[in-house]
Each structure stands twice: as structure tokens, then as C-alpha cells.
Amino acid sequence: MRAARLIKMVLLLQSRPTMTASELARELEVSERTVTRDAQALSEAGVPVYAERGRAGGYRLVGGYRTRLTGLGRDEAEALFLSGVPGALREMGLEDIASAARLKVSAALLPSLRDAPRTAAQRFHLDAPAWFREPAAPALLPAVADAVWDDRCVSARYRRGENEVVRELEPYGLVLKAGVWYLCARVCGAGTGAAGAGAFRTYRIDRFVGVEAMKDRFSRDEGFDLPGFWGEQAERFARSILRAEVVLRLSPTGVRDLPYAVDPVAARDALAGVPEPDATGWVTVTLRVESEEVAHTQLAALGPEAEVLSPATLRERFAADAIRLTELYGRREG
């Protein structure tokens, strides 16, 4: 914790000529007394932090001192931000670059911080693929990743049903969702004939059958928010497949457990503005589901904490399940 704060303090002082103790305390979220102690620790470690007293005083670095990252290149620095996702780096062909970047950063750290990469790796790991599936990196992922880093247009061929479609795309960003890679891109010149004027779309990388980098680079829309775009797309997709409705009663436990049994978006919509419970504490909600078959599988997890009111065919299936369970558990060994 303190090591990270000391590094941040040096970087703050590198970015501004002088900072007061109160400014540093606010940025670092510590007291001014802690700032004083940290400045002394940096000075003892060889970082020339100088304190000026008086009304216009503050802390500054002497002689234009700057930390150096031993020749860290742009591609290495960018890859470093993904170093907590080793599997993703490997699949995009960036593992060697990230490894070199980590070595250079380690060499630039204070001796007392040299074990930071090891201690971080011991404490945090991201396992992106979903359970019970064997992850397979799409063969064309490294080529797509190169184009994303380079802001370079690509000519892509991908499967759409039984057909192959060719599009010229501006590849904006990659998303790894439960072990599946997606490209967020827009079609070059769609709609107006001007490059970069197309709507943003999402493509599954494993459906690409060919990717060729083009000569032209595109001008990135700096207002594009990849996490925000992906969140909107994911929620829109989730709602698009919820084509049927189920009316059910839920006990207090059923209300609590519903988001764990069905699609979270559907559960959130169903529980929004829930009416007052009846005399037994149960509430009636309308739940959107993908199909009656899927609803039967999902709602079975709630057991006696949910009662299906409609459709009648689904209610009959649960009634039949209840009869079978009664027969099964009502048996007595001879």
C-alpha cells in the first residue's frame, strides 16, 4: 500500500512544478503528516524531493529529476496494462512484449519494491473462461489485435449463417467474455460514404474466416467508450432473447434468489416496482424468459419458493414434477 503511494507521489511531482502538502494529501488520500513522512522516505531512498517552506512553498523534485523505465516502448507500456490477464495476452500474441515490459519496470523500481510483481501475482489472478468448457483462442485473434492496437482498417470475411460476408471494418476494441472473444468495430463509411461514419457493431472473432490489414488507418472517435458500449450491447442482447413471459408468485426467499436462478436482466426488470406482499408475504411478478423450456429448467432451482401461475402449460409441468417428487420421496423401504 505504501509502496504504491510513494510511486504515485513521485509521478505527481513529476507532472507539476510544485505541490503543497494539502494538495498531495488530497491526491494521495492521506494526512499532511503522512505526506511529510513519505517525502522523507523518498529522500532517503535517493529521490531528490525538496520541501520549500512559506506561503508559496510546497514539495518539488530537484533538478528536473524523472524516473526512467529503461527504454519502455509504447507497445510494451500498452501491453503492461493487460498483464493481469496472462491468458488474454498469450492469445493476442502479446505475451513476449508484456514479459519484456515487466522486466523493464522491475529494473526501474526501488530495491524495496522489486518483489512487487511476484507478490501481486500471488494475490490476484483472472481466469476468464467459463466453467466446463475448453477455451480455444481464435486463429485470427492476433491479426485482429494488431489492427486494434494500430488503428488500422481491416477487410474481414466472416460467417453469417450459411453464408460468408465481407466487410471493411474500423476495429475499435476487443472484449473477452466468458472465454469468447468479440470485436467492437464499425463499418468503414457506412451510411454517408465518409470513412468512420458507420454504426458500431459487435462481431465474434471465432466466426471470422479471413482478416487482411488495409493500408489506411482510421481516425479514432475519442468519445467511444468501450466498456459502456459493451454493457449496452450485452443488455440489449439479453433482452432480445427474452421472448416469452411467465407470471409467478415468489416467497421472500424466492425474491432474494431469483437473480441467481434466471437471467439477471430479466430478474431486475421483474422485481422493479414489486407490489406489496400479500398476507403470506408472497409477491406476484411477471418474468420475461427465453422460452418455456428454459423457464422450466431455471425456475426449478427455486423449488417451493416460487409458484408458476401462467402459462398454464408451464404450471402443469411443475405440477407433474411435484407429483413425481412426492411419489419418489414418499416411498418407504420395505
Side-chain angles (χ1 to χ4, degrees):
M1 188 75 177
R2 190 189 187 199
R5 190 175 70 242
L6 292 174
I7 293 173
K8 184 175 181 180
M9 184 174 181
V10 173
L11 295 176
L12 285 169
L13 293 174
Q14 282 186 187
S15 64
R16 307 177 197 179
T18 303
M19 293 187 70
T20 65
S22 62
E23 289 173 337
L24 284 168
R26 184 168 58 253
E27 291 282 353
L28 299 172
E29 298 181 349
V30 296
S31 67
E32 292 186 24
R33 181 173 296 180
T34 299
V35 168
T36 301
R37 288 198 298 264
D38 286 352
Q40 184 175 353
L42 286 171
S43 181
E44 292 172 354
V47 179
V49 178
Y50 178 71
E52 294 180 322
R53 300 184 180 279
R55 183 176 242 176
Y59 292 92
R60 63 183 178 86
L61 293 175
V62 177
Y65 172 88
R66 300 189 67 80
T67 58
R68 299 189 181 277
L69 293 180
T70 322
L72 189 68
R74 170 172 286 277
D75 54 349
E76 295 168 338
E78 289 170 335
L80 190 62
F81 286 100
L82 297 174
S83 60
V85 196
L89 282 169
R90 184 169 53 252
E91 293 178 6
M92 288 190 291
L94 298 173
E95 186 175 30
D96 290 343
I97 292 174
S99 178
R102 286 193 292 268
L103 285 173
K104 291 180 177 180
V105 170
S106 296
L109 292 175
L110 295 170
S112 60
L113 308 180
R114 294 279 165 81
D115 66 341
R118 178 182 59 82
T119 56
Q122 288 175 336
R123 288 163 172 79
F124 300 99
H125 175 67
L126 175 62
D127 184 9
W131 286 102
F132 313 119
R133 62 178 298 169
E134 188 68 29
L140 295 173
L141 177 60
V144 176
D146 284 345
V148 170
W149 287 120
D150 203 27
D151 290 345
R152 188 174 296 277
C153 297
V154 296
S155 177
R157 288 186 297 117
Y158 65 95
R159 294 188 304 274
R160 178 184 285 174
E162 299 297 322
N163 302 316
E164 284 189 10
V165 179
V166 179
R167 291 285 185 271
E168 292 184 355
L169 302 175
E170 296 176 348
Y172 264 69
L174 290 167
V175 175
L176 177 60
K177 170 69 172 179
V180 180
W181 284 94
Y182 296 87
L183 171 68
C184 298
R186 59 181 178 184
V187 178
C188 296
T192 67
F200 287 102
R201 295 179 173 86
T202 303
Y203 303 85
R204 276 185 63 144
I205 304 290
D206 59 8
R207 292 180 182 167
F208 283 14
V209 295
V211 174
E212 182 180 350
M214 302 171 66
K215 293 182 178 179
D216 296 334
R217 286 186 171 88
F218 63 92
S219 297
R220 181 174 288 268
D221 180 355
E222 296 301 329
F224 176 71
D225 174 18
L226 180 59
F229 170 76
W230 176 257
E232 292 173 0
Q233 290 290 102
E235 186 162 325
R236 187 177 298 118
F237 172 76
R239 285 198 168 97
S240 72
I241 63 174
L242 304 176
R243 301 186 179 94
E245 287 187 348
V246 173
V247 178
L248 67 159
R249 294 176 67 239
L250 295 170
S251 71
T253 300
V255 170
R256 184 196 65 197
D257 293 345
L258 186 66
Y260 304 102
V262 303
D263 181 87
V265 172
R268 187 170 67 244
D269 290 347
L271 297 176
V274 173
E276 289 294 320
D278 61 20
T280 63
W282 288 51
V283 297
T284 300
V285 300
T286 300
L287 176 73
R288 296 179 64 195
V289 296
E290 186 175 345
S291 66
E292 185 174 312
E293 186 69 31
V294 172
H296 178 250
T297 301
Q298 293 177 332
L299 295 175
L302 296 177
E305 307 303 331
E307 177 192 3
V308 173
L309 302 180
S310 69
T313 51
L314 182 59
R315 181 178 175 85
E316 289 167 4
R317 292 182 70 169
F318 277 104
D321 290 346
I323 292 172
R324 291 179 60 195
L325 286 169
T326 300
E327 292 175 350
L328 181 64
Y329 287 98
R331 295 173 183 168
R332 293 289 185 270
E333 295 295 333

